[in-house]
Amino acid sequence: AQSVTQLGSHVSVSEGALVLLRCNYSSSVPPYLFWYVQYPNQGLQLLLKYTSAATLVKGINGFEAEFKKSETSFHLTKPSAHMSDAAEYFCAVSGRRRTAGNKLTFGGGTRVLVKP
Amino acid sequence: DTEVTQTPKHLVMGMTNKKSLKCEQHMGHRAMYWYKQKAKKPPELMFVYSYEKLSINESVPSRFSPECPNSSLLNLHLHALQPEDSALYLCASSQEGAAGGLSTDTQYFGPGTRLTVL
């Protein structure tokens, strides 16, 4: 079974400060990892994904994440927070399909608050 | 076009009503999904359709009935719901649905339907 754990259900950062969202995974097969963002009253939007091509993955809106197998982690970072980054962030894991469709398992989510 | 559309945006229904949620995508994706999301929680997978056939049912109560009329459309029929079924219902699609492959496909989500059951 696969799972992800997001450390910290809420993160508060000042505008211009580093954003760091933590995600640790558990998987018996090589994992594929995703970060999604959800703005209020909207659906989820993909920020970036790890598919084993490169351990440092760059995404949209200045976000990036690094896959560390030794630490079973896939933490999300952004050097300088912007007010528009206030949202809910979800880490998710999938693996080789045993059934049709891409079954994602989501972490509990981290709500980011950006202070002016 | 990477858009998944969902209608209606909001729905209020009584416990004896029958209603349907609609989802549409024109990206040529062959897998489509229904998720349920309660407030301050992650999405929970309900159903997956692959090539217009139901491939995953996450033990969802029968008062939720999915339907995939064609490769672009996904419906969720609702009947005799309970107040605890009130939630945001999200539809998603991804490119490749076949079993056995690498599940790296991005899922594209619609904006959701906010359902309230009275």
Side-chain angles (χ1 to χ4, degrees), chain A residues 38 49 94-95 97 100-102, chain B residues 33 37 97-98 103-107:
Chain A
Q38 185 175 30
K49 65 181 179 181
S94 69
R97 283 192 284 262
N102 182 1
Chain B
Y33 310 77
Q37 186 179 26
S103 48
T104 60
D105 296 336
T106 297
Q107 289 188 24

Side-chain angles (χ1 to χ4, degrees), chain B residues 85-106:
Chain B
D85 296 322
S86 298
L88 181 67
Y89 287 84
L90 294 165
C91 174
S93 69
S94 65
Q95 186 167 10
E96 179 55 60
L102 300 176
S103 48
T104 60
D105 296 336
T106 297

Side-chain angles (χ1 to χ4, degrees), chain A residues 24-94:
Chain A
N24 288 90
Y25 69 89
S26 174
S27 177
S28 57
V29 297
Y32 302 112
L33 295 156
F34 304 75
W35 274 102
Y36 280 88
V37 60
Q38 185 175 30
Y39 299 102
N41 299 312
Q42 295 188 27
L44 280 70
Q45 179 184 10
L46 181 73
L47 282 175
L48 49 81
K49 65 181 179 181
Y50 167 73
T51 59
S52 75
T55 56
L56 183 62
V57 183
K58 294 187 183 299
I60 62 171
N61 302 340
F63 284 93
E64 65 179 37
E66 186 172 10
F67 175 75
K68 292 187 177 180
K69 185 178 178 180
S70 61
E71 299 177 7
T72 61
S73 69
F74 189 56
H75 300 331
L76 181 71
T77 61
K78 181 174 180 177
S80 177
H82 190 273
M83 296 299 291
S84 60
D85 294 325
E88 186 88 22
Y89 292 79
F90 293 100
C91 183
V93 63
S94 69

Side-chain angles (χ1 to χ4, degrees), chain A residues 92-107:
Chain A
V93 63
S94 69
R96 186 173 292 274
R97 283 192 284 262
R98 296 189 179 203
T99 59
N102 182 1
K103 185 172 179 178
L104 291 176
T105 301
F106 287 92

Side-chain angles (χ1 to χ4, degrees), chain B residues 28-68:
Chain B
H29 290 174
R30 302 317 302 266
M32 296 185 77
Y33 310 77
W34 280 116
Y35 289 87
K36 174 182 177 180
Q37 186 179 26
K38 301 285 275 184
K40 303 185 188 303
K41 296 290 186 182
E44 299 174 21
L45 183 65
M46 300 173 72
F47 303 103
V48 181
Y49 272 83
S50 173
Y51 292 90
E52 300 159 49
K53 293 183 179 178
L54 184 64
S55 65
I56 297 177
N57 177 342
E58 293 286 270
S59 302
V60 179
S62 60
R63 58 185 183 268
F64 295 91
S65 176
E67 177 196 21
C68 190

Side-chain angles (χ1 to χ4, degrees), chain A residues 10-21 37 39 63 78 80-89 110-116:
Chain A
H10 291 81
V11 168
S12 181
V13 298
S14 297
E15 192 175 17
L18 172 72
V19 179
L20 170 61
L21 305 182
V37 60
Y39 299 102
F63 284 93
K78 181 174 180 177
S80 177
H82 190 273
M83 296 299 291
S84 60
D85 294 325
E88 186 88 22
Y89 292 79
T110 299
R111 183 168 296 275
V112 172
L113 173 65
V114 182
K115 298 177 292 185

